[in-house]
Amino acid sequence: MKTITLAHGNGGQENNELISKVFYKAFKNDILEKSEDAAVIHNGELAFSTDSFTVSPLFFAGADIGKLAVCGTCNDLAMMGAQPKYLTCSVIIEEGFDTKSLEKIVRSMKKELEVNGAIVVSGDTKVVPKGSVDKIFINTTGVGEIQKKGISSNSITSEDMILVSRDIGAHGATIFAAREGIDMNTSLQSDCASLYPQVKALIDADIKITALRDATRGGVSAVLNEWAKQSDICVEVDEDKIPVSDEVNGICELLGFEAMALANEGTFVLAIAKEDAQKALDILKQTNETASIIGSVTDQYVGRVVLNSAWGTKRFLELPTGELLPRIC
Amino acid sequence: MSDLQLKDLYDGFRDPDTIKAFKKIIDEDAKKLEHPINIMEVCGGHTHTIMKYGIPQLLPDNINFVHGPGCPVCIMPKERIDHAYVLSMQEDVILVTLGDMIKVPGSNGSLQDARSKGADVRFVYSPLDCLKIANENKDKKIVFFAIGFETTTPMTAALMDTVIKQDIKNIYFHINHVTVPEVMRELIDSRDEHVDSYNHQIDAFLGPSHVSVISGSKIYEEFPRDYKKPVVVAGFEPVDVMQSISMIVKQFIENRCELEIEYKRLVSYDGNKKAQDLINIYFEKISLFKWRGLGNIKDSGLKLRDEYAKYDAEVIYKDILPIAQIEDHKLCICGDILRGMASPPECTIFGTACKPSTPIGSCMVSSEGACAAYYKYGNLL
């Protein structure tokens, strides 16, 4: 790793390597090492998280960078069973950026804050010369009140089932379809959404939640691989139970991607105690009918994720590597 | 895209019952085989399908796959990547290529590395996207680093055609297009200099179908006729591959040796004549093209015809393009893998020094390479 390449930001293997070899090495502490979606602080009462947002195009079907910037951090808090409360908002803007677009982005942030019941309490603005950033970068940092303690990616066992909250890959596929170069008419929309309402519904129903994680960069594939390693388990998923929309499947076919590795911005993976899995599924289905129980936890290949096909074959589902690039032919 | 439902691209061709039914037929037929058969899938797309869908797990012990040289990224020699690297580092150049190519390491690094050093390297979904880049960057020279087999050549020819017809002044071409029949012939004919008796282990071929959409199935005629190797032109879905294997097995038990098309929904005997004509207008064969791991293969590459030299980056940048020959890494056995003589796990650096994130050999670079497919999918069973 002599220089940083785009692959180091892929949410997969190279990204993990960068984080562990540079940042974890320097910042080493017990909280950070738990490697959860948000840090649990203040005697387990608060969750604390930060995220920066860069996306091209800034406005896309289903959302924009503003909505994304609020959902992203709030969802990280929600994944620790916390209600998002206070956010900071820091923006880096390229000179020449259109004020109307900025206002649109901020309106979008305001709307999404309301969904979460959170407020922005501090912020920062920087304007940099043209070419220094790609239009606008947004950082949000958030604090949330933990409503249910003990949710952790480190404590999944064979007593859990694995679920996803809806069909996967919609955000990643939407962004690819929207980028210049692919003139594609699709009704695809990013899944970008705040997840706290669904998490609250699960908590209110007293569901035994072991772990939650929103499947952002690196997709469901990265979440399952991280869980398998963090909890020393084998996750086995059934390919035909994984919900993927026809359009996402089609784009994957055209460009040679796997839906499991595509980014999501409003889809989460759940490890739920077996006895509550069906009940949790029923609750998730109230928001999205495509929610599904996709797999179980075994000790067959500890630290790995196994994908079972509908015709009896199996393979490992690996952590995504490299920059997502379309295949050649 | 509006008339084509994306679902149509895969629906039905992954049907579990159909796949299981083919498994049953193949199991029964394979009992009648007189000897085990090794089927080479020439195309990297097939390798990927075979590994991703676990096809070997469905086949009896006497049917094996050997992986072929049909991945445009895998076969690109370092010398050519060094050309792309040098061109990309020119201040007034935007180097444009297709997908995976930017990850392949040359002797100075990959195009991805060049980009991280400030080079303007872009990947496109279609060569025609160069037109937009050229229009938006009139003060720059757009060099299209063209790669791929018969499948992608017509698109480069279409770009060339537009550049000439619209008199676009700032698009240039670095051509690395190669052709399939020549390398298939090489695999059967050649002898390995490192071993006494070269044994290519190929009994039959799964024919690359995207290539055949353009060139027609006719380009494989010589293999059953002259070399006694059956060829079935196969699609890329698991049902396609299972059906094609069944067709090959039936040829053996019925003592036939023919060229057949499984992928009839897109492939014809003659192929796409319009695309072939366009290729012939702008390209001609070059006498030798070096393939990574395989060496020089006669008549296996294309170049722009001399009358289009003013568009040819190899002519224009002749003075700065490196000419030194580069040896492949000593421990890497990509050459043997591409020849069908070895499988990826037989390589001593497979999965250790050589991984998709730090590829040493070209077969580990591309998502369609045999080593990458084994690394990603194949180490379970």
Side-chain angles (χ1 to χ4, degrees):
Chain A
M1 191 172 61
K2 280 182 194 153
T3 53
I4 305 300
T5 66
L6 284 179
H8 287 109
N10 64 357
Q13 205 165 294
E14 292 86 347
N15 202 185
N16 284 357
E17 199 179 300
L18 172 72
I19 292 168
S20 64
K21 287 188 178 164
V22 179
F23 295 104
Y24 275 36
K25 197 174 151 193
F27 298 146
K28 200 173 166 63
N29 65 63
D30 292 346
I31 300 174
L32 187 66
E33 275 181 357
K34 290 210 165 64
S35 197
E36 304 281 6
D37 263 3
V40 176
I41 55 169
H42 207 257
N43 298 323
E45 287 167 11
L46 299 178
F48 188 34
S49 184
T50 188
D51 212 335
S52 297
F53 298 85
T54 67
V55 63
S56 179
L58 297 175
F59 300 92
F60 46 89
D64 56 56
I65 189 171
K67 183 177 182 185
L68 207 57
V70 172
C71 288
T73 289
C74 288
N75 288 348
D76 282 347
L77 300 172
M79 293 303 101
M80 300 312 293
Q83 178 181 8
K85 296 292 282 187
Y86 306 106
L87 264 68
T88 65
C89 166
S90 178
V91 290
I92 301 175
I93 309 167
E94 185 185 28
E95 68 171 331
F97 191 69
D98 175 31
T99 314
K100 279 211 168 121
S101 299
L102 183 62
E103 284 169 352
K104 200 172 161 191
I105 289 165
V106 174
R107 273 200 304 277
S108 186
M109 293 179 80
K110 180 176 181 273
K111 202 170 152 195
E112 207 57 31
L113 284 162
E114 285 163 5
V115 175
N116 285 279
I119 50 173
V120 167
V121 291
S122 180
D124 180 51
T125 311
K126 295 277 188 300
V127 178
V128 294
K130 200 159 185 63
S132 303
V133 295
D134 185 11
K135 299 180 189 77
I136 184 168
F137 292 171
I138 303 179
N139 171 275
T140 53
T141 299
V143 174
E145 280 175 358
I146 292 182
Q147 307 295 314
K148 188 181 175 75
K149 289 188 178 179
I151 294 175
S152 169
S153 302
N154 297 289
S155 45
I156 304 164
T157 69
S158 54
E159 297 305 307
D160 295 307
M161 301 290 281
I162 307 294
L163 292 79
V164 287
S165 65
R166 55 161 287 171
D167 56 291
I168 64 171
H171 178 75
T174 303
I175 295 296
F176 271 107
R179 285 204 178 143
E180 53 186 322
I182 319 180
D183 291 324
M184 204 180 281
N185 298 319
T186 78
S187 54
L188 251 184
Q189 285 214 330
S190 166
D191 61 332
C192 184
S194 292
L195 297 173
Y196 182 68
Q198 286 176 76
V199 173
K200 185 174 185 300
L202 294 169
I203 293 172
D204 289 349
D206 207 22
I207 298 291
K208 292 190 188 71
I209 304 169
T210 307
L212 305 172
R213 184 161 284 186
D214 57 339
T216 53
R217 279 170 316 156
V220 174
S221 178
V223 172
L224 296 178
N225 272 286
E226 282 160 19
W227 281 4
K229 288 197 172 59
Q230 281 177 280
S231 291
D232 277 331
I233 48 166
C234 172
V235 177
E236 284 200 55
V237 287
D238 295 327
E239 203 164 11
D240 55 352
K241 300 275 168 48
I242 300 165
V244 186
S245 72
D246 290 342
E247 293 203 306
V248 169
N249 254 335
I251 284 176
C252 286
E253 280 311 298
L254 278 177
L255 301 177
F257 296 145
E258 275 202 81
M260 293 286 274
L262 287 181
N264 308 272
E265 290 296 343
T267 303
F268 63 123
V269 188
L270 306 88
I272 301 289
K274 267 180 194 162
E275 66 267 29
D276 276 2
Q278 187 57 47
K279 198 171 150 194
L281 181 66
D282 295 340
I283 292 168
L284 293 171
K285 276 180 181 278
Q286 287 169 14
T287 306
N288 196 307
E289 189 53 37
T290 58
S292 174
I293 298 176
I294 60 167
S296 57
V297 178
T298 67
D299 54 7
Q300 200 186 2
Y301 299 93
V302 172
R304 307 299 298 267
V305 181
V306 175
L307 192 67
N308 297 311
S309 77
W311 46 87
T313 62
K314 54 173 77 179
R315 65 173 165 103
F316 285 132
L317 185 69
E318 295 285 344
L319 198 61
T321 65
E323 190 184 335
L324 268 187
L325 293 167
R327 69 175 169 206
I328 289 157
C329 60
Chain B
M1 294 295 304
S2 54
D3 295 329
L4 176 69
Q5 296 292 309
L6 286 170
K7 199 173 189 290
D8 299 339
L9 291 170
Y10 58 88
D11 205 30
F13 302 108
R14 291 177 197 171
D15 176 51
D17 291 338
T18 314
I19 294 170
K20 286 177 192 163
F22 272 119
K23 173 181 165 48
K24 231 176 179 178
I25 295 169
I26 294 168
D27 278 345
E28 281 308 308
D29 285 348
K31 287 178 192 162
K32 301 171 202 155
L33 285 171
E34 287 167 8
H35 58 82
I37 53 171
N38 294 326
I39 302 170
M40 171 173 272
E41 83 282 359
V42 181
C43 176
H46 280 140
T47 308
H48 189 80
T49 299
I50 287 163
M51 300 310 292
K52 179 175 175 183
Y53 297 108
I55 306 287
Q57 297 167 41
L58 299 172
L59 299 181
D61 290 343
N62 57 350
I63 299 174
N64 306 304
F65 287 112
V66 285
H67 312 298
C71 161
V73 168
C74 300
I75 56 88
M76 194 61 64
K78 273 191 178 173
E79 290 87 343
R80 309 294 288 180
I81 295 157
D82 287 356
H83 279 196
Y85 189 96
V86 166
L87 289 169
S88 77
M89 294 306 264
Q90 301 305 302
E91 268 197 13
D92 60 345
V93 164
I94 299 176
L95 189 105
V96 181
T97 189
L98 301 177
D100 268 0
M101 197 63 226
I102 72 167
K103 292 191 286 189
V104 190
S107 27
N108 301 311
S110 64
L111 289 170
Q112 209 167 24
D113 296 324
R115 195 174 57 183
S116 73
K117 287 176 188 158
D120 195 343
V121 176
R122 305 185 190 184
F123 69 85
V124 288
Y125 300 96
S126 151
L128 292 172
D129 295 341
C130 289
L131 297 170
K132 194 175 173 209
I133 298 173
N135 190 39
E136 287 170 356
N137 297 277
K138 292 208 164 103
D139 56 333
K140 299 270 185 176
K141 295 186 172 79
I142 316 304
V143 178
F144 180 59
F145 189 73
I147 61 164
F149 291 86
E150 288 87 338
T151 324
T152 53
T153 315
M155 293 302 284
T156 308
L159 176 64
M160 186 71 202
D161 199 50
T162 313
V163 165
I164 289 178
K165 283 182 180 152
Q166 294 183 8
D167 194 24
I168 295 167
K169 307 274 189 216
N170 62 336
I171 294 184
Y172 303 90
F173 294 79
H174 189 289
I175 300 297
N176 302 276
H177 285 302
V178 286
T179 50
V180 165
E182 286 72 19
V183 73
M184 287 171 68
R185 208 179 295 144
E186 167 80 10
L187 295 179
I188 303 172
D189 279 345
S190 68
R191 294 288 176 272
D192 190 278
E193 61 193 40
H194 304 296
V195 288
D196 291 337
S197 62
Y198 175 68
N199 177 8
H200 54 69
Q201 303 186 50
I202 307 163
D203 297 307
F205 288 105
L206 279 186
S209 52
H210 286 171
V211 163
S212 322
V213 172
I214 304 299
S215 304
S217 64
K218 61 178 187 280
I219 60 167
Y220 309 118
E221 261 180 348
E222 64 186 284
F223 298 100
R225 187 189 61 217
D226 303 340
Y227 295 96
K228 307 293 171 239
K229 312 283 180 196
V231 177
V232 172
V233 181
F236 288 96
E237 293 296 334
V239 167
D240 290 319
V241 173
M242 289 299 280
Q243 183 176 1
S244 301
I245 293 162
S246 174
M247 289 166 75
I248 288 174
V249 173
K250 283 203 188 298
Q251 287 204 32
F252 276 93
I253 61 177
E254 290 166 10
N255 270 323
R256 289 184 290 119
C257 182
E258 297 167 12
L259 166 62
E260 293 181 297
I261 307 172
E262 179 276 336
Y263 199 45
K264 282 188 177 149
R265 58 191 187 272
L266 282 173
V267 171
S268 65
Y269 176 79
D270 286 319
N272 183 334
K273 293 285 279 179
K274 199 178 159 191
Q276 291 166 24
D277 291 345
L278 200 60
I279 292 168
N280 288 332
I281 291 173
Y282 296 110
F283 296 104
E284 62 185 348
K285 290 263 183 189
I286 44 173
S287 55
L288 284 176
F289 187 89
K290 183 177 176 183
W291 294 53
R292 194 163 180 160
L294 298 176
N296 288 316
I297 300 178
K298 199 169 163 267
D299 295 332
S300 66
L302 299 177
K303 69 182 274 287
L304 283 180
R305 289 184 183 276
D306 290 343
E307 56 261 50
Y308 305 110
K310 68 171 179 172
Y311 299 99
D312 193 335
E314 282 189 82
V315 176
I316 296 163
Y317 291 98
K318 196 173 159 214
D319 296 338
I320 59 163
L321 294 178
I323 48 166
Q325 292 292 306
I326 305 161
E327 289 290 311
D328 289 321
H329 193 283
K330 283 197 180 81
L331 293 173
C332 169
I333 62 163
C334 278
D336 289 346
I337 292 166
L338 295 172
R339 280 195 187 91
M341 291 173 64
S343 90
E346 290 173 48
C347 180
T348 53
I349 51 173
F350 173 80
T352 53
C354 186
K355 290 191 280 198
S357 52
T358 52
I360 288 172
S362 51
C363 301
M364 190 61 95
V365 175
S366 164
S367 53
E368 287 167 25
C371 293
Y374 265 78
Y375 185 88
K376 196 169 178 197
Y377 308 123
N379 48 356
L380 185 59
L381 292 164

